[in-house]
Amino acid sequence: SENGTRCILSSISEFPEGFFTPQERKDGGIVIYFIIILYMFLAVSIVCDDYFLPSLEIISECLGLSQDVAGATFMAAGSSAPELVTAFLGAFVTKGDIGVSTILGSAIYNLLGICAACGLFSSVVSRLSCWPLFRDCLAYTISAAAVLAMISDNRIYWYESASLLLIYGCYVLVLCFDIKINQYLMKKFSPCCTCFTKAMEENAEQQPLVGWREESGPLIRQQSRTDSGIFQDELDYSQLSTSLHGLDEISEDHPNVFTMPEADMKRILWVLSLPIITLLYLTIPDCRRQFWRNWFMVTFLISAAWISAITYVLVWMITIAGETLGIPESVMGLTLLAAGTSVPDTVASVLVARKGNGDMAMSNIVGSNVFDMLCLGIPWFIKTAFINTSGPIEVNSSGLTYTAISLVCSVVFIFLAVHLNGWKIDKRLGTICLVLYLVFTVLSILYELGIIGNNPTRVCGN
């Protein structure tokens, strides 16, 4: 710090050098970066729609998970893989605060920005349940408060990072008994809460899920809420519901990915995306097809790895483009980089929201933030407990008060917005979340630039 001004490292220092020199980028080379950015967006959507979400369907069916629990666990973990990679890079490679700043800085976008995208880009009005949203918002508030308390003294000790793992463990434990807890709360609070009363009425019509057909007969899975069930099967796995993919009929095998679409615009996109379609086809087993059905966990893990790799390239290109256009570092971190690292969450949530699976979309939005807190805890715990046991990790917690207020307010606002909107995701909720996101972003940028508050920053070396 010099004269009270905080020096921050340029985000471009965390990535390799680009293909062109700064002058070449200004002379027109930046167009190539924008083309790559658009292609990476297309690649993420293909991975999510063709591999990631289908594997999630089968995982949820096997474990008897409801829609919201699947969204808060496997879907959140897979789509948040880039944040986990970023946290490990920050702890072990760059030795900087990139993990903390990326995860905490993109938290508001995850809550308000993705919710706005789900409402504005979905033509289907999705109904929401009270309990899943309340459960995930409470878990996120607790985990965010824990992280902010830990970095308040700029030091992370092993027992502090272990407490993050414990909090997430308790969250998973609650998810394991989600149905029983939900039923108890509905009975307890239904007289004074209309949303619980509606949930009880829907819950009365619930049916058990049927699992994989074995030689001994069908396996009855754990009971799940009807409004949260991903599958509506009554027979074996050959009749797997394809509700997330917009297919009206259930077939024994899925069409080949190389089948050309009929619509002209889709044909153009298909031709442009053929290289990435071929690459994914050769590296990821398509669990939608009968032959690869039992390889769904391999599909899930490899697709999550692809999502991480594509997101890394996407954020790399966005960072170079932002520097070329002269966008300030603080503005980049709060807007383009926050949105870039959350592309998988955005794409996955919008895809399921467009199919009417509102609980799954909202649980992925909030649940991914809860998982992000775990993303900080894992590398911190490994480093303090096994690698550098002599002392704590040093972190920079400047702007902590404003970050804490922003995180808590964003959680409260998203819950109130959903409640006032009648517990449904529609364009009105999307508009409300977009306005709130723009307000938070503008205030954050003004704070980072030192226009409001007392937190002036500059890029080191400038």
Side-chain angles (χ1 to χ4, degrees):
S1 297
E2 296 178 6
N3 300 325
T5 301
R6 182 163 58 95
C7 169
I8 58 173
L9 289 175
S10 171
S11 56
I12 201 171
S13 64
E14 308 289 351
F15 297 98
E17 294 184 5
F19 314 123
F20 306 109
T21 63
Q23 187 58 43
E24 290 173 339
R25 294 199 300 266
K26 293 178 181 179
D27 292 339
I30 192 174
V31 175
I32 303 297
Y33 289 91
F34 280 112
I35 293 175
I36 297 175
I37 289 171
L38 294 176
Y39 201 74
M40 291 300 102
F41 274 110
L42 182 62
V44 168
S45 66
I46 293 173
V47 176
C48 288
D49 200 25
D50 292 346
Y51 298 98
F52 181 66
L53 292 180
S55 66
L56 183 70
E57 283 187 341
I58 304 179
I59 291 173
S60 304
E61 163 68 3
C62 290
L63 299 179
L65 299 179
S66 62
Q67 205 180 74
D68 55 282
V69 173
T73 51
F74 288 98
M75 188 176 183
S79 57
S80 295
E83 280 88 346
L84 181 60
V85 173
T86 301
F88 269 96
L89 286 174
F92 298 104
V93 180
T94 64
K95 303 295 193 302
D97 300 328
I98 180 175
V100 183
S101 60
T102 299
I103 289 174
L104 295 182
S106 64
I108 295 175
Y109 172 82
N110 290 347
L111 287 171
L112 299 177
I114 300 179
C115 189
C118 289
L120 295 175
F121 296 122
S122 176
S123 58
V124 179
V125 177
S126 304
R127 300 293 304 182
L128 297 174
S129 305
C130 294
W131 164 246
L133 184 60
F134 174 77
R135 174 200 66 204
D136 296 335
C137 285
L138 180 62
Y140 177 59
T141 302
I142 294 174
S143 57
V147 170
L148 296 172
M150 290 174 195
I151 64 178
S152 60
D153 60 351
N154 298 335
R155 292 180 176 84
I156 304 294
Y157 296 89
W158 71 267
Y159 52 84
E160 292 179 330
S161 55
S163 65
L164 273 183
L165 306 184
L166 181 62
I167 291 173
Y168 193 79
C170 293
Y171 176 58
V172 173
L173 188 64
V174 170
L175 293 176
C176 292
F177 298 96
D178 177 71
I179 296 174
K180 293 182 179 180
I181 296 174
N182 177 52
Q183 291 173 343
Y184 172 78
L185 291 176
M186 284 194 298
K187 292 178 181 178
K188 191 78 173 176
F189 296 103
S190 58
C192 59
C193 183
T194 56
C195 62
F196 277 113
T197 304
K198 293 178 182 178
M200 282 191 69
E201 293 173 355
E202 295 173 355
N203 197 47
E205 301 174 358
Q206 65 186 2
Q207 297 293 334
L209 292 175
V210 179
W212 303 92
R213 181 177 292 280
E214 305 289 350
E215 293 181 358
S216 59
L219 174 64
I220 305 300
R221 295 291 180 184
Q222 185 180 11
Q223 200 173 37
S224 175
R225 291 185 296 279
T226 301
D227 63 337
S228 299
I230 300 176
F231 304 95
Q232 303 296 331
D233 311 326
E234 291 185 3
L235 298 177
D236 58 357
Y237 62 83
S238 66
Q239 292 185 336
L240 184 67
S241 170
T242 51
S243 58
L244 288 181
H245 308 286
L247 300 179
D248 296 323
E249 296 181 358
I250 298 171
S251 59
E252 287 193 2
D253 215 347
H254 194 274
N256 196 293
V257 293
F258 295 106
T259 303
M260 183 177 291
E262 296 182 0
D264 292 337
M265 181 56 71
K266 289 184 177 180
R267 282 188 178 185
I268 296 174
L269 288 176
W270 182 82
V271 171
L272 292 175
S273 60
L274 198 55
I276 192 68
I277 289 176
T278 305
L279 183 60
L280 295 175
Y281 178 80
L282 295 175
T283 55
I284 309 178
D286 189 352
C287 63
R288 295 173 298 178
R289 302 185 65 83
Q290 196 70 32
F291 182 80
W292 298 107
R293 189 81 67 184
N294 295 329
W295 290 67
F296 56 89
M297 278 306 300
V298 177
T299 303
F300 178 82
L301 294 175
I302 299 180
S303 59
W306 266 112
I307 288 173
S308 299
I310 294 170
T311 305
Y312 179 84
V313 175
L314 177 65
V315 175
W316 177 22
M317 297 296 103
I318 289 176
T319 303
I320 295 178
E323 187 203 37
T324 305
L325 295 175
I327 301 176
E329 289 292 321
S330 53
V331 177
M332 281 284 294
L334 290 166
T335 53
L336 297 178
L337 294 182
T341 55
S342 300
V343 164
D345 287 312
T346 307
V347 173
S349 295
V350 170
L351 285 174
V352 296
R354 293 178 67 177
K355 304 306 176 183
N357 300 321
D359 283 333
M360 192 176 207
M362 290 302 298
S363 292
N364 176 51
I365 292 171
V366 186
S368 63
N369 273 7
V370 179
F371 185 80
D372 286 347
M373 299 300 106
L374 177 70
C375 290
L376 292 176
I378 293 177
W380 283 348
F381 181 75
I382 293 176
K383 189 169 184 179
T384 54
F386 302 104
I387 298 178
N388 186 19
T389 58
S390 59
I393 299 177
E394 297 287 338
V395 296
N396 180 15
S397 61
S398 299
L400 175 66
T401 304
Y402 180 79
T403 304
I405 295 174
S406 300
L407 292 176
V408 174
C409 288
S410 61
V411 174
V412 172
F413 281 158
I414 194 71
F415 191 84
L416 290 177
V418 171
H419 176 69
L420 295 175
N421 196 51
W423 295 94
K424 59 182 181 290
I425 298 178
D426 55 11
K427 295 190 182 300
R428 184 170 67 173
L429 178 65
T431 304
I432 294 173
C433 290
L434 179 61
V435 172
L436 289 174
Y437 173 64
L438 292 177
V439 171
F440 273 117
T441 303
V442 170
L443 291 176
S444 300
I445 291 172
L446 293 177
Y447 181 81
E448 287 292 331
L449 295 176
I451 298 176
I452 62 175
N454 186 23
N455 187 43
T457 60
R458 64 176 178 84
V459 178
C460 295
N462 290 350

